[in-house]
Amino acid sequence: MSWILAGLIVWALGLWANVRLSKRKGRAAALAVPVIFGLVLVFVWEAVVRGFGISPVLLPAPSVIAARFGQSSGVLWQDFVQTVLKGALTGYVLGCGAALLTAIVVDRFDFLRRGLLPVGNFVAALPIIGIAPILVMWFGFDWQSKAAVVVVMVFFPVLVNAVQGLADTSAMQRDLMRTYAASYWTSLWKLRLPAALPFIFNGLKIASTLALIGAIVAEFFGSPITGMGFRISTSVGLLQLDLVWAEIVVAALAGSAFYGGVALIERAATFWHPSQRGR
Amino acid sequence: MTEQVAAPAASVPQAPTVISAQGLNLVYETSDGPVQALKDVDLKIDKGDFVSFIGPSGCGKTTFLRVMADLETPTSGTVLVNGVTPEAARKARAYGYVFQAAGLYPWRSIGGNIRLPLEIMGYSKAEQAERVQRVLELVELSGFDKKYPWQLSGGMQQRASIARALAFDADILLMDEPFGALDEIVRDHLNEQLLALWSRTEKTICFVTHSIPEAVYLSTRIVVMSPRPGRITDVIESPLPKERPLEIRDSPEFLEIAHRVREGLRAGHAYD
Amino acid sequence: MTEQVAAPAASVPQAPTVISAQGLNLVYETSDGPVQALKDVDLKIDKGDFVSFIGPSGCGKTTFLRVMADLETPTSGTVLVNGVTPEAARKARAYGYVFQAAGLYPWRSIGGNIRLPLEIMGYSKAEQAERVQRVLELVELSGFDKKYPWQLSGGMQQRASIARALAFDADILLMDEPFGALDEIVRDHLNEQLLALWSRTEKTICFVTHSIPEAVYLSTRIVVMSPRPGRITDVIESPLPKERPLEIRDSPEFLEIAHRVREGLRAGHAYD
Amino acid sequence: ADELTLQLKWVTQAQFAGYYVAAEKGFYEEEDLDVTIKPGGPDIAPVQVLLGGGADVMVDWLPSALAARENGAPIVNIAQPFRSSGLMLTCLKEHGIESPADFPGHTLGTWFFGNELPLYSWMSKLGYATDGSEGGVTIQKINFNVDPLLQKQVECATTMTYNEYWQVIDAGLTPEDLVVFKYQDEGIATLEDGLYTTEENLADPAMTEKLVRFVRASMKGWKYAEENPDEAAEIVLENDETGAQTEEHQKRMMGEIAKLTAGSNGALDPADFTRTVEVLLSAGADPVITKDPGEAAWTHAITDEALK
Amino acid sequence: MKNVIPVLTVVLAILLLWYGGAILLNKQWVLDQAARQDRVLTTPELIAETWAQDKPKLPAPHQVAVELWDTVAMKKPTSKRSLVYHAWVTMSATVLGFGLGTLLGFALAVGIVYNRVMDKSVMPWVIASQTIPILAIAPMIIVVLNAIGISGLLPKAMISMYLSFFPVVVGMVKGLRSPDAMQLDQMRTWSATRAQEFRRLRLPASMPYLFASMKIAMAASLVGAIVGELPTGAVAGLGARLLAGSYYGQTIQIWSALLMAAALAAALVGLIGLIQRITLKRMGMA
Ligand SMILES: Nc1ncnc2c1ncn2[C@@H]1O[C@H](COP(=O)(O)OP(=O)(O)OP(=O)(O)O)[C@@H](O)[C@H]1O
Ligand SMILES: Nc1ncnc2c1ncn2[C@@H]1O[C@H](COP(=O)(O)OP(=O)(O)OP(=O)(O)O)[C@@H](O)[C@H]1O
Ligand SMILES: Cc1ncc(C[n+]2csc(CCO)c2C)c(N)n1
Ligand SMILES: [Mg+2]
Ligand SMILES: [Mg+2]
């Protein structure tokens, strides 16, 4: 009972603090508000698990997860390397790179654009869940097949965004290039690519969350006996839910960091775009 | 870079023809049906001319400029620029074009925007820097070359876009309401500058404006157009001397030409 | 809707003050550092005045209008509108505001755009339709109410946006370069219309323009501003009669006021 | 009728025929029970369902049940319809594995999710490292099918006598192409497919009474299925909602399942339990369970009543 | 219609690659089998066999087509062996989850745009929420929801909702913020209430964004529904079909379920596209 009460109080306190803080300007406040929100969330979770005596086999408390985090850091690190560094990152780089090159080709040859994009949309609708086992069958159990799944997952979001971005120049901007009698490559390099950057980054950001999810889920369909997806799927069977949640925390942290990193690069590369200037 | 096209031309009494349009028609196909933007347009522009186009909104001034610059293909009729097709002239980089809106690239600084055509046309780095400085001074934007377009007011952006068109040696300058966004004082000043540049360089200038005094002050010829379908209703030769102080605008000759232009314009409107 | 604020006011010799600004300062905090847009501005505007604001680009004209309309909060100083704060006046719907760009909503037809403020202010359906027709006629757009903004030329859009501000009974009209995008003939015509409307309705009008003749032709007072930090350098009372045919622009009084405005403006510029 | 929910360990197939037969033939009804049978799946942990209150009884294997118990899940074996283990390791003959002595240097595939425990125990009993090091074997996780074996991604794969083995045969291989090691024959058999419930349920007399009736009816179902394998397989097919099972496979599976349930009256044989625990405890470095749970992990209370 | 020829060309190219790939991937098994049976295969025989295997690594297109025809056209739509039946089951969960997700996303977006505290605190967590591999914990979610008595369609729909609310939040926040400063200022000068500003400015301005993100949400929702069907393995739906196919090595069945899922996604997304075109046309924006 006392835990539930504590949960309620902390929740009220957090809300009050955030209402106050969000009226303030400045970096610190902007950072503090979501952090407080998160801390309150975690505390309420702890309180609920303890207060209602929820079985650790169903949902472990954050404190238990944290303890496991410390205990199993070796395993967690090893899984992180296997899944994120080898699987997700490789796939992300290959997939996004291939998508950008394809976008340029597709943009250059209208025939391809009109043929490839509709078919591409259909292929992109193939659920990853169905593709993963097939790719594992083709590329083997190790990280290569995870990278392949990630390539498939990130390819179309990036392609579609990039193609749209390359077309997103105003008539006047293109006319200007025409009056300079600029070649195709010149206008690609000096006009269309810079203009496409905001769109491309949009695709890259979406792809960054997809990459991690893709790599983890693909491990459900075959993996060596290491990796975050492997650990999650097998630990549930052994009822080591604390380890499962520790892996999920790693995934969330890695995913957020990945997304944040791409967003930072975006900020530097598209500083001129209205969406980056405002607020 | 443009030598092969530029005619040798000194200011002889009968200057060579730079632009000649004959029986020009242009119809835009739109979802609401066809729009005739230009109808039976005939015009000759000689080297060194300063031609103003004036007419009500939507009469086809921009369209005509675009046809000359090979940005639009006429439905019928012929245009020759420097004796060749507009396309060949464009490929020979004969034009400097100032668009109705500034149209600077937001990811380039002001200096970078002005440098853009120079990079494309292969000027050396030193030459680029030198020219950027020179045109920035001309439009009174020295010191702003590191700023980005969105950090400048609309009028400053418009001046930057003029500077961009002046930075390289095109001998035909097409300007679509370049001074529309400026206040009267700055406008007067830039008018003077433009005239000075023109008489110094012997460029041929086609200039679209809504302002009658501006048209009269600047031009050797004023082309008055009527609304859709866009036709040329009058071509007025200006008797004003090449040397034009601002005060010339109070002279009787000036007022008389202005009156004629106004009458021509009014004929195209519905009111009284 | 606006009774509680509108002063009873008939055209007595000393008309009541509608807007009074005292020691107004406004500083924008930007990433490049602070920009002082208004500095020590004092101004009184009486009911029924037609006040033009003129000054170089970026001198704070728009900012001043925005302060009056409670779209911007001054850093220091006081503004009173109809004797209350701008906010109270805004809530009482005392303003019609015409922005520098047309700003029509693309998903509403022209009629729908003009109807928008009427819907918001709760006019009846019949009243809405009646008013939309009336103002469309006023700006010569009857028959266009079913069209969408992108089907109209820039000038037509601007006129629609003026119609929108005239559709409801605000007794203060704030107009920010409403005629900038129009050609001279249409502009003359709308100037006449605006003057007629003004003398008919006794509205108070604040009008920003870059055109000296326009300012002189329309106003009872002309406020000349200087560039950053924006200050008022001159306030010129016009001796012209209320009845003003277009030809008045050739009268010596007119030219003389125009000259004074030009001098005032020139003082703010760097040239000669 | 009293309601009761049974959580299976796997998808609907003849492995669980006894329960479907009992439901279809009205044995549960005779005991005044209304039993809901929930199929399992690859990522369903029956223990979670049981503890979460989603089921009253579950089918599980003893190794994973004991592992769960160590992790804080208070579950107890109340009946053991399966007497023998159906688990085996199937190798392709061409890889040259003839006896357990040949394992080192080869890749052995197994399911995880708790199913890997018997294999780890066996390897540790044999004294082989499982991390792929010199003199040891490499363990590879495989999914619940035999493709990795057919496609030679592993050299041996865990199979059940009643299911995966026949998939290998169906794929076109002959028994002569294969070498099989049955856990039962190697003396390392662990108990499979028992019925489990929570300590909390056992403390509730009304619930135990229901469970008694349930076990009685279920065993009746099992014995009926043993005697009428084809009819039992038909019943299973009718209950398969995916519509993906085939009659041939299920009839064959039922035949094999009957061999495993033979000889069990439903009561757990304590000797089998002790053997399973020994096998599990013997696993070397990273044992499945660290201490003998003793008699707390099973009870005869239910079967004693049911078999009276 | 201009697109027909390019699309057909691309499809043809894919089919060619597919047949070629089938030869490459299935070759090993055919050769192994031949070796076991002491047969020697000519190249045409080899190719023919790779395209006619029972459990190929990659089934040939015509094998999948035949399977699709058998399970779609030749079975009663209510039969458990009909793909139409399974597609229907999956679609119900998809549409329900999509509806819930769109509502949730919409509500969050409105909250973020109109409430400072939400604006500052919620968005990072919404992004973080999507970095959790929900697909990995879907089984647990199903189990936990089951435990509190929620079963059947709803647990699947919840997973769909979790995946589909995200694009809607992101798109709608962008859309509701798309009116420019001047348009908002106009509303201020008319002293419009927040509700009026929302209904007459922000909402219509956000329509193009809403539709774009609903399309993504629908595709995500389908993935969610299929994921939700995996752990409860033996039950109905395209996900269950995929899984069952995988247990029994039925690659042909997997591929046909996969293509059916893609067709379902294309149909649902196309439907939204249609609604989008009609709506935007009526708003004068197309
Ligand atoms: N791309 C286009 N498609 C269809 N119609 C067009 C297009 N461009 C211009 N028009 C139409 O052609 C006519 C002439 O347009 P143009 O832009 O040349 O006018 P303008 O004289 O430059 O007007 P303004 O003074 O407003 O710039 C107008 O009626 C316009 O609506
Ligand atoms: N939101 C803002 N943030 C920062 N600076 C601003 C902002 N709005 C205007 N300014 C600056 O304040 C000054 C006055 O701007 P304002 O728009 O009032 O000028 P203006 O007289 O209307 O000019 P124009 O004739 O070009 O419309 C300018 O220097 C401008 O750059
Ligand atoms: C949750 C769970 N999933 C799979 C198995 C392994 N298994 C045991 S019996 C069987 C059926 C087919 O042989 C399979 C695959 C398990 N033990 N528990
Ligand atoms: Mg134009
Ligand atoms: Mg302004």
Side-chain angles (χ1 to χ4, degrees), chain D residues 9-10 13 15 41-42 44 46 61 111 113 115 144 160 162-164:
Chain D
K9 185 175 178 51
W10 192 245
Q13 59 177 0
Q15 183 187 0
I44 294 272
W61 289 6
W111 314 308
F113 211 74
N115 303 300
F144 300 110
M160 304 303 298
Y162 46 85
N163 184 3
E164 287 80 3

Side-chain angles (χ1 to χ4, degrees), chain A residues 173 175 178 180 190 272, chain B residues 66 70 90 93 105 119:
Chain A
Q173 291 174 328
D175 283 345
R178 244 175 101 86
Y180 298 152
K190 298 208 186 273
W272 46 269
Chain B
R66 292 174 59 82
D70 186 38
R90 178 172 66 78
R93 287 160 177 165
Y105 291 179
E119 288 172 7

Side-chain angles (χ1 to χ4, degrees), chain D residues 10 12-13 38-39 41-44 48 52 94 144-145 151-152 167 171-173 177 238 240-245, chain E residues 29 32-33 36 57 80-81 86 139-140 143 146-147 230-236 240-241 243-244 246-249 253:
Chain D
W10 192 245
T12 304
Q13 59 177 0
K38 285 186 175 174
D43 299 314
I44 294 272
Q48 268 193 332
E94 58 195 271
F144 300 110
N145 68 36
Q151 284 149 18
K152 299 183 187 170
Q167 290 184 32
L173 295 180
D177 295 326
E238 276 164 34
D240 164 41
E241 285 206 48
T242 57
Q245 309 276 19
Chain E
W29 172 257
D32 282 356
Q33 275 309 84
R36 285 187 191 112
K57 225 172 170 175
K80 280 186 278 191
R81 290 179 186 269
H86 291 286
M140 283 194 285
V143 165
N146 248 313
L230 291 186
T232 52
V235 200
R241 273 311 262 208
L243 196 76
S246 142
Y247 295 148
Y248 301 98
Q253 193 180 313

Side-chain angles (χ1 to χ4, degrees), chain A residues 90 200 231 253 259 269-270 273:
Chain A
T90 316
I200 292 176
R231 199 73 58 196
L253 287 179
Y259 184 97
T270 63
H273 195 257

Side-chain angles (χ1 to χ4, degrees), chain C residues 58 61-63 100 176-177 208:
Chain C
K61 306 181 291 296
T62 298
T63 304
Q100 206 161 348
D176 196 351
E177 294 190 52
V208 173

